[in-house]
Amino acid sequence: MIGRRGVAMVRADMSDATDFRRVTFEVPGGRMAGIAFGAETPNPDIVFLHATGFNARTYRSLLAPLGDRFHVLALDARGHGLTTLPANTFGYASWVRHRDDLIAVLEHFSAPVTLAGHSMGATVSLLTAGKRTDLVAGLALLEPVIMPDAGRAFAQLPFGALAMRFTFPLARGAARRRASFESRESAVEAFTGRGVFKAFPPEMIADYVGDGLVEDGKGGFKLACAPSFEAATYCAQRHDPWSALRRVTDPLVLLRAERGSTISEAAMHRIASIKADARVATVEGAGHMLPMERPDRARSAIESATLLAKAGRKYHDALLQ
């Protein structure tokens, strides 16, 4: 199948799943992998981006019910899952590279989509909407990462991102993460009930392992997202979400966690002041793994943003072209 910009879109098999189909997109530098739910239409209604260290399939149980009403596409970011784009850490200082990868996929389609994402995926969605408003009709942001001004200022320094890899606790922990496993079953056992996975139901851990591990060529498995790349991703904060937000012209639904959120209450108020029509809410009792802890609220936010987008002029104008 040939996309709008003449780039081939390749579909793979779906032998390992019954409720999703696999898709890949040829983009500059390689292929982006993804999974899709719902009717196979020329343009998806929703494109979903995952958090740092995870992959699209991790969110299968969250997204599959949306497939009853919408065509949903979830993508593996560069350095994650089954995507084959180079994952170099040299010079990796912002999430602009992920924004540009997403834009390359969206250019396959002839109508704007609702972008949804968790954590890094939410921020990348925001950056994309700010850069290419023509490709986006709505936003559903689940726990976007928006650093305090001091942290962003440090990231702007010439060697800020590199220095953070040694000083930022989250990055240091990621760099030390176990990367090799004898089998997928041993990986599931190692993750269950530990760290961030405490909030994951069993089927979500199995889905994470399904596309989060790749064969290591030695009879075992390794993390698809290398610990060094995950650590570098946490520190690549030289992008500007506030400038992107000011350029957004589409419906915005945003959920913030009550515990350990990556977006402060002050930032929530700032968002509301910049975009007065945004629907923002704090989910009581939820932590940063909000989509895993409260999939009902996360799904509702994505559905709301999609319906608002479909009611908007931009979406209908695109269909008439």
Side-chain angles (χ1 to χ4, degrees):
M1 181 174 179
I2 302 299
R4 183 167 56 154
R5 297 299 178 101
V7 184
M9 183 174 73
V10 183
R11 291 192 55 239
D13 65 44
M14 48 185 292
S15 58
D16 60 344
T18 58
D19 62 353
F20 70 83
R21 58 189 178 275
R22 292 192 177 277
V23 295
T24 59
F25 296 87
E26 296 283 355
V27 298
R31 288 183 175 181
M32 286 193 75
I35 59 175
F37 307 87
E40 191 172 357
T41 60
N43 298 287
D45 301 302
I46 301 164
V47 177
F48 183 88
L49 287 303
H50 59 78
T52 300
F54 297 116
N55 55 69
R57 186 171 168 179
T58 305
Y59 299 81
R60 180 190 61 81
S61 58
L62 169 69
L63 300 174
L66 292 170
D68 293 339
R69 297 188 64 185
F70 306 109
H71 178 182
V72 183
L73 170 66
L75 297 170
D76 289 337
R78 180 188 296 258
H80 296 72
L82 305 184
T83 285
T84 63
L85 294 168
N88 302 316
T89 59
F90 181 78
Y92 184 20
S94 81
W95 291 346
V96 167
R97 63 167 61 173
H98 299 297
R99 179 202 70 188
D100 292 345
D101 291 339
L102 176 56
I103 287 172
V105 172
L106 297 182
E107 286 180 337
H108 287 80
F109 311 129
S110 59
V113 305
T114 294
L115 290 182
H118 174 216
S119 191
M120 177 186 76
T123 306
V124 171
S125 296
L126 175 59
L127 296 174
T128 300
K131 179 70 173 180
R132 291 290 303 273
T133 61
D134 59 312
L135 300 176
V136 183
L139 287 168
L141 308 183
L142 311 175
E143 269 289 284
V145 178
I146 299 182
M147 294 191 72
D149 289 342
R152 288 191 58 249
F154 185 82
Q156 303 302 317
L157 297 175
F159 298 101
L162 182 60
M164 286 176 67
R165 298 182 199 177
F166 302 97
T167 59
F168 188 24
L170 195 60
R172 292 170 62 186
R176 295 193 298 266
R177 197 178 308 286
R178 177 181 174 184
S180 300
F181 300 88
E182 294 179 358
S183 64
R184 296 188 189 277
E185 292 74 18
S186 66
V188 169
E189 182 179 357
F191 294 134
T192 300
R194 299 178 183 176
V196 298
F197 294 99
K198 290 179 180 179
F200 285 45
E203 65 272 18
M204 192 166 275
I205 295 178
D207 281 326
Y208 162 71
V209 168
D211 283 0
L213 266 64
V214 294
E215 294 183 4
D216 63 5
K218 303 176 183 177
F221 295 85
K222 63 181 180 180
L223 292 176
C225 180
S228 59
F229 188 79
E230 182 182 355
T233 300
Y234 287 128
C235 301
Q237 299 295 321
R238 202 172 286 174
H239 46 269
D240 186 358
W242 296 113
S243 293
L245 179 65
R246 292 185 184 94
R247 291 190 293 268
V248 167
T249 60
D250 310 302
L252 168 63
V253 180
L254 188 151
L255 294 185
R256 172 185 179 270
E258 183 181 39
R259 300 179 288 102
S261 180
T262 51
I263 177 170
S264 67
E265 287 191 33
M268 286 282 279
H269 291 301
R270 187 176 175 185
I271 289 170
S273 68
I274 293 173
K275 191 163 175 55
D277 60 346
R279 299 186 179 188
V280 298
T282 297
V283 180
E284 294 183 1
H288 183 60
M289 293 294 113
L290 188 157
M292 293 73 179
E293 298 174 26
R294 293 298 307 272
D296 56 331
R297 292 292 301 273
R299 222 170 5 247
S300 179
I302 297 171
E303 183 174 15
S304 295
T306 305
L307 293 175
L308 288 168
K310 284 182 172 293
R313 177 178 175 180
K314 180 188 296 185
Y315 180 82
H316 290 283
D317 286 350
L319 295 181
L320 293 173
Q321 291 178 0

